[in-house]
Amino acid sequence: GPIPTQLGMAQQLNQLTLSQNTLAGPIPTQLGMLTELGWLSFESNALSGSIPTQLGTLTQLTWLNIANNTLSGSIPESICSITHPYVDCEEVMCSCCRNADDEVC
């Protein structure tokens, strides 16, 4: 199923790991309200669509792994100043990202 948009209301949340949960659909823009979030992993689901620009406002973010999904578009440049995201380099455009082998895209 989808990622619940209500997660955006958990504003004190500092870690969110939803890897390998058969999640599908887009990443909710409401996750950009999680200002304390330092760790975000959606690895190995069936997420699709573009990466919300709102994730670029997560200034505490030190880990982002969205690899092994069917996401498209580009990673917001503002994320590059705070972390090196792990993505599927063939699907997502990113100047600061790394793949599963820890190689720069």
Side-chain angles (χ1 to χ4, degrees):
I3 299 170
T5 58
Q6 295 87 345
L7 279 175
M9 295 173 18
Q11 295 183 352
Q12 296 302 310
L13 192 66
N14 59 30
Q15 209 174 73
L16 181 59
T17 302
L18 296 173
S19 300
Q20 301 176 353
N21 277 289
T22 62
L23 296 169
I27 297 173
T29 59
Q30 291 85 346
L31 295 185
M33 297 187 302
L34 300 175
T35 56
E36 298 299 315
L37 197 63
W39 182 284
L40 180 57
S41 181
F42 292 134
E43 179 185 13
S44 300
N45 283 289
L47 298 175
S48 58
S50 60
I51 295 98
T53 57
Q54 289 83 349
L55 294 185
T57 64
L58 302 177
T59 58
Q60 301 299 313
L61 198 64
T62 59
W63 178 264
L64 174 63
N65 190 343
I66 54 175
N68 299 318
N69 285 285
T70 56
L71 296 165
S72 60
S74 60
I75 297 284
E77 286 296 320
S78 53
I79 289 178
C80 292
S81 65
I82 51 179
T83 188
H84 295 289
Y86 288 84
V87 301
D88 295 313
C89 296
E90 310 81 46
E91 297 175 3
V92 177
M93 294 177 9
C94 180
S95 61
C96 66
C97 294
R98 298 179 182 278
N99 64 18
D101 296 324
D102 205 27
E103 299 168 333
V104 177
C105 293

